[in-house]
Amino acid sequence: MVICVNALQGVCRAGVGSSLAQRKHVALHQPASVNTQSMQRVKRLCTATSTATPAQVHGSPVHGDSLTTVAGDSLDREPAGQSPEYARLAKDLDKKSPLEIMDHALKQHGEDIGIAFSGAEDVALVEYAHLTGRPYRVFSLDTGRLNAETYQLFDAVEKHYGIRIEYTFPDAQECMDLVRTKGMFSFYEDGHQECCRVRKVRPLRRQLKGLKAWITGQRKDQSPGTRSAVPVVQVDPVFEGLDGGPGTLIKYNPLSNVSSPEVWNFLRAMGVPTNKLHEQGYVSIGCEPCTKAVLPNQHEREGRWWWEDATGKECGLHSGNVVESASEQAKDDLRDLFQDNSVEAVSKQQLQEMMDGKRDKDTLVVLYAPWCQYSQAMEESYIGLAKRYQTSEHVRVAKFQADTDREFAGKLGLKTFPTIVMLPKFSSSGVVKYPTERRDTDSLDMWVKTIAGYES
């Protein structure tokens, strides 16, 4: 989809990468004047807390995928830390509306900033840019295997705003070599990373080297397991900008603090074009072979690369940053997780006794590693769950630092961090593993009720 923030998702079409010279000659889009009444209306929409959802078959609002955590040619590296200067700016802008953040970004960087466009949130970004009255650039990645509806959206957006999108394409030779060597659908057999590397990561890298800043539609609520800490502005931790070298590209995320329902409320109110696939149950939209509709209440990420093992979105037991012992963790000064009196820290002996049948309550346990970013990301939601059951006579919410004794934790089904299991009181030896990567409080609570049968 768009090279950028949301929907550049696993696609494939061979093309010629756009050159810096070509991009430099693309005129900035100067919006028509925006009257004061419209601006005030938008500011109200920007700050409203709406629970409205899009009128679509499967209810939940939509968005595309983000490429903002791509490192080198990898899609899986975690972003680096924030620079002090931009950390302060992020704090200053954090309570601002998306419109105000957009206005700041365009004012600050002029023709050297581009809006990454691909899915629903991206349309909101273009609308916000238009409303500022400032010139702006929009770019998108055509990977060659997008849905027809996505191409139709590109055309509709160009006509709606009277702009020309800067399309970028994968390298034709790289695409040809990949397909001739491994076939059209190799990603179904050996994972999507290689295809994404050729068709979107490298083209995105080329595009961004012609800019000093870019604007994405990344939101915190898109994937609580990995995007719970999305600053509204940061030094891009993985891509380089026009001046070359680390720290030369600034990334803005104006929608960081906006929820999906709020985005959709804004889109409907402003009457902007959206992807027709949203009306067919699609939530996260990428390339056609790698995207499918999801069922009601199914997590949006389950519609992407669904054939791959979910552990690809979790911390493996043998990752390069694995800490082998508690003493080594102490040396590295790693903060422990789930430090709240509502979460009971259970020992190996206590777990062994439960496994041997001594169960006074239904016990939910998270098997975690403090260094794992996905364990870190679920800390708030898990503590929120524990508080709901803090006074329960029937359910215990607990934690066990499993990376200090992985062999033992393996008896509870540990394969990746975090792993969440229930030891039901009614079954003296049974262990039920939480089957999904949806780790928000409500999803966890619903699952506890289906197993334990008690209200929090």
Side-chain angles (χ1 to χ4, degrees):
M1 309 190 105
V2 173
I3 292 206
C4 118
V5 60
N6 287 289
L8 266 192
Q9 310 159 345
V11 264
C12 350
R13 153 167 146 193
V16 180
S18 60
S19 68
L20 175 60
Q22 289 173 321
R23 291 195 295 273
K24 279 301 183 180
H25 284 86
V26 175
L28 296 182
H29 304 299
Q30 178 67 56
S33 60
V34 181
N35 62 45
T36 303
Q37 184 178 5
S38 296
M39 290 291 287
Q40 292 174 341
R41 178 188 181 200
V42 172
K43 286 186 177 181
R44 290 196 297 271
L45 287 168
C46 290
T47 56
T49 305
S50 170
T51 57
T53 57
Q56 58 182 13
V57 176
H58 296 292
S60 292
V62 267
H63 75 300
D65 190 29
S66 173
L67 288 185
T68 53
T69 56
V70 179
D73 279 339
S74 168
L75 290 170
D76 303 314
R77 192 172 96 182
E78 184 71 5
Q82 176 73 296
S83 75
E85 177 185 356
Y86 279 93
R88 288 192 295 271
L89 179 59
K91 184 177 181 180
D92 292 340
L93 293 177
D94 193 60
K95 301 302 181 182
K96 302 293 186 181
S97 71
L99 181 62
E100 292 172 295
I101 297 169
M102 176 67 72
D103 186 69
H104 172 90
L106 296 178
K107 178 181 178 181
Q108 187 74 19
H109 300 281
E111 66 176 9
D112 293 319
I113 190 170
I115 298 171
F117 168 62
S118 64
E121 297 81 359
D122 303 310
V123 178
L125 293 175
V126 179
E127 178 69 13
Y128 282 125
H130 177 77
L131 290 168
T132 67
R134 298 184 184 277
Y136 61 93
R137 296 170 61 182
V138 180
F139 69 90
S140 180
L141 175 64
D142 180 357
T143 61
R145 298 190 75 169
L146 303 178
N147 289 276
E149 290 84 351
T150 300
Y151 290 114
Q152 292 164 5
L153 175 62
F154 290 164
D155 181 66
V157 167
E158 287 189 324
K159 292 176 179 177
H160 184 82
Y161 293 101
I163 65 175
R164 287 298 178 193
I165 298 170
E166 300 175 39
Y167 295 104
T168 300
F169 301 90
D171 181 81
Q173 187 64 50
E174 287 187 346
C175 286
M176 186 166 61
D177 291 344
L178 174 62
V179 173
R180 287 184 176 183
T181 302
K182 305 185 72 172
M184 292 294 293
F185 300 100
S186 59
F187 40 82
Y188 288 144
E189 300 175 2
D190 56 14
H192 71 276
Q193 287 81 5
E194 183 178 19
C195 185
C196 287
R197 184 163 55 245
V198 170
R199 298 184 183 279
K200 62 181 182 180
V201 179
R202 290 173 183 167
L204 174 59
R205 188 177 302 283
R206 291 195 300 269
Q207 174 72 22
L208 294 177
K209 283 185 177 179
L211 299 171
K212 292 184 178 180
W214 64 314
I215 302 170
T216 86
Q218 193 175 18
R219 298 194 322 269
K220 290 175 181 175
D221 74 340
Q222 286 176 332
S223 183
T226 58
R227 296 179 180 174
S228 58
V230 179
V232 295
V233 61
Q234 64 185 133
V235 175
D236 196 296
V238 291
F239 290 111
E240 297 179 4
L242 183 62
D243 295 333
T248 58
L249 185 69
I250 306 304
K251 181 172 66 176
Y252 288 86
N253 307 302
L255 304 180
S256 173
N257 297 314
V258 181
S259 70
S260 185
E262 288 168 340
V263 170
W264 274 96
N265 181 60
F266 175 73
L267 294 176
R268 282 194 295 269
M270 303 308 295
V272 303
T274 57
N275 198 315
K276 298 300 182 182
L277 289 174
H278 296 323
E279 301 172 10
Q280 302 174 35
Y282 287 75
V283 180
S284 177
I285 301 175
C287 294
E288 189 279 332
C290 304
T291 305
K292 69 175 183 178
V294 295
L295 298 173
N297 297 316
Q298 188 177 14
H299 194 275
E300 57 197 61
R301 300 303 297 168
E302 294 181 64
R304 300 296 313 288
W305 305 304
W306 61 92
W307 64 90
E308 294 183 5
D309 189 89
T311 59
K313 302 167 186 174
E314 300 169 332
C315 294
L317 300 186
H318 304 288
S319 300
N321 61 343
V322 166
V323 179
E324 295 296 338
S325 67
S327 61
E328 290 180 6
Q329 289 181 18
K331 292 178 183 178
D332 289 340
D333 195 29
L334 286 175
R335 180 183 68 85
D336 194 17
L337 304 179
F338 314 109
Q339 298 187 74
D340 189 272
N341 58 14
S342 62
V343 180
E344 182 177 337
V346 294
S347 65
K348 177 180 177 180
Q349 180 179 349
Q350 289 175 301
L351 279 177
Q352 186 61 62
E353 290 176 354
M354 293 182 200
M355 293 169 65
D356 292 339
K358 297 180 181 179
R359 304 182 182 184
D360 61 331
K361 291 183 177 182
D362 293 298
T363 302
L364 184 74
V365 184
V366 58
L367 309 175
Y368 71 98
W371 49 262
C372 171
Q373 72 240 34
Y374 303 108
S375 296
Q376 296 166 8
M378 67 167 289
E379 184 174 24
E380 182 179 353
S381 61
Y382 195 73
I383 290 175
L385 175 73
K387 289 184 180 299
R388 293 184 182 183
Y389 287 91
Q390 190 167 11
T391 60
S392 173
E393 298 179 358
H394 307 286
V395 177
R396 173 188 294 109
V397 179
K399 67 174 185 176
F400 178 70
Q401 188 173 331
D403 66 331
T404 59
D405 195 336
R406 297 175 210 167
E407 183 177 357
F408 170 74
K411 299 177 182 178
L412 291 166
L414 177 71
K415 292 184 178 179
T416 60
F417 300 112
T419 292
I420 303 171
V421 297
M422 173 72 83
L423 287 78
K425 181 180 178 181
F426 71 84
S427 175
S428 60
S429 60
V431 176
V432 184
K433 185 176 179 180
Y434 186 60
T436 175
E437 58 182 20
R438 293 188 65 176
R439 304 183 187 114
D440 60 280
T441 300
D442 290 339
S443 295
L444 289 167
D445 194 12
M446 178 180 65
W447 187 73
V448 169
K449 290 182 174 65
T450 63
I451 303 298
Y454 299 105
E455 295 293 327
S456 56

